[in-house]
Amino acid sequence: GAGVSQSPSNKVTEKGKDVELRCDPISGHTALYWYRQSLGQGLEFLIYFQGNSAPDKSGLPSDRFSAERTGGSVSTLTIQRTQQEDSAVYLCASSFGQGSTDTQYFGPGTRLTVL
Amino acid sequence: ILNVEQSPQSLHVQEGDSTNFTCSFPSSNFYALHWYRWETAKSPEALFVMTLNGDEKKKGRISATLNTKEGYSYLYIKGSQPEDSATYLCAFISAGYSTLTFGKGTMLLVSP
């Protein structure tokens, strides 16, 4: 497709369940980012993939959060044993280069609600 | 922890009004500043990437200026239209880093 896509668009889950969120970046983009926006907060960086390098996981809030990027393309963000404070909009973005001055193109997000 | 502040938090103007908002960021170790527009139910859309002190960018009725020495950027919208209603986000990158630190945004509502 022409843009970044994410699925599902909405996810409602019960506390304690695991969830997987998917991101399809723009073809050819080497950098991929995950962010989340909790209610009343700004976009918060979670994790960054650049090519074949080890990901920058410095933004992951706890060890319940993990992400992988298969074949340098699709990425999956996994949240284990979800908590109510995990409720947020999770956004994925990709960029052609390293991202510092390259425009990041965002997907539409996944709205996660943990009951 | 980097502190990126945006003001005002929200703004309500009439169609045709011109408006501006502010993004404040650390003045040391500046590398780049990004501006995004995020309309409800859509993806954030890039407006500008600014890197040089004194830089001014323009896209239609929207323009932005950058002062890296004092750590602020202004976003201006001339003759606001209802379709400009959105949240405007700025994001800062420090030298040596590749990840963006976002402000909480300014929510703009333009009434017809």
Side-chain angles (χ1 to χ4, degrees):
Chain A
V4 178
S5 60
Q6 292 185 244
S7 61
S9 55
N10 280 285
K11 176 72 177 179
V12 179
T13 191
E14 293 178 347
K15 179 182 172 181
K17 295 283 179 68
D18 297 352
V19 295
E20 285 189 352
L21 312 180
R22 177 186 167 105
C23 172
D24 278 277
I26 293 173
S27 178
H29 280 192
T30 59
L32 186 148
Y33 303 79
W34 282 98
Y35 299 90
R36 73 174 177 182
Q37 185 175 45
S38 305
L39 192 63
Q41 302 299 313
L43 278 174
E44 173 190 11
F45 163 73
L46 297 176
I47 188 169
Y48 160 53
F49 296 88
Q50 173 59 50
N52 295 320
S53 302
D56 176 352
K57 304 179 183 179
S58 60
L60 294 179
S62 78
D63 59 9
R64 296 185 295 103
F65 287 72
S66 62
E68 62 178 22
R69 188 179 184 192
T70 53
S73 181
V74 171
S75 177
T76 303
L77 177 70
T78 301
I79 309 174
Q80 295 179 307
R81 305 181 303 282
T82 51
Q83 303 296 310
Q84 289 182 331
E85 61 262 28
D86 300 334
S87 296
V89 175
Y90 289 81
L91 286 165
C92 171
S94 69
S95 65
F96 184 71
Q98 289 187 15
S100 302
T101 54
D102 287 326
T103 296
Q104 293 188 22
Y105 295 86
F106 283 82
T110 294
R111 181 174 296 277
L112 175 66
T113 303
V114 182
L115 300 177
Chain B
I1 296 177
L2 297 173
N3 200 25
V4 179
E5 300 283 345
Q6 290 190 247
S7 62
Q9 186 175 8
S10 63
L11 196 54
H12 184 187
V13 302
Q14 296 297 309
E15 183 176 356
D17 289 348
S18 292
T19 186
N20 66 87
F21 358 107
T22 305
C23 173
S24 301
F25 51 84
S27 57
S28 59
N29 292 326
F30 175 86
Y31 192 80
L33 188 85
H34 294 230
W35 280 100
Y36 287 86
R37 174 170 61 196
W38 193 0
E39 293 180 65
T40 302
K42 295 187 178 180
S43 308
E45 173 196 358
L47 290 173
F48 307 114
V49 179
M50 310 182 80
T51 57
L52 300 175
N53 184 45
D55 202 5
E56 181 169 344
K57 300 275 189 180
K58 187 175 168 66
K59 185 177 181 178
R61 294 179 291 98
I62 303 176
S63 60
T65 60
L66 180 66
N67 184 324
T68 60
K69 296 186 187 306
E70 296 183 37
Y72 64 84
S73 175
Y74 293 139
L75 188 80
Y76 301 90
I77 302 178
K78 184 178 177 182
S80 303
Q81 300 296 308
E83 58 264 31
D84 296 329
S85 297
T87 296
Y88 290 82
L89 300 169
C90 69
F92 169 80
I93 294 184
S94 283
Y97 290 85
S98 298
T99 58
L100 297 172
T101 299
F102 281 85
K104 292 184 180 181
T106 293
M107 187 184 303
L108 174 67
L109 177 63
V110 183
S111 296

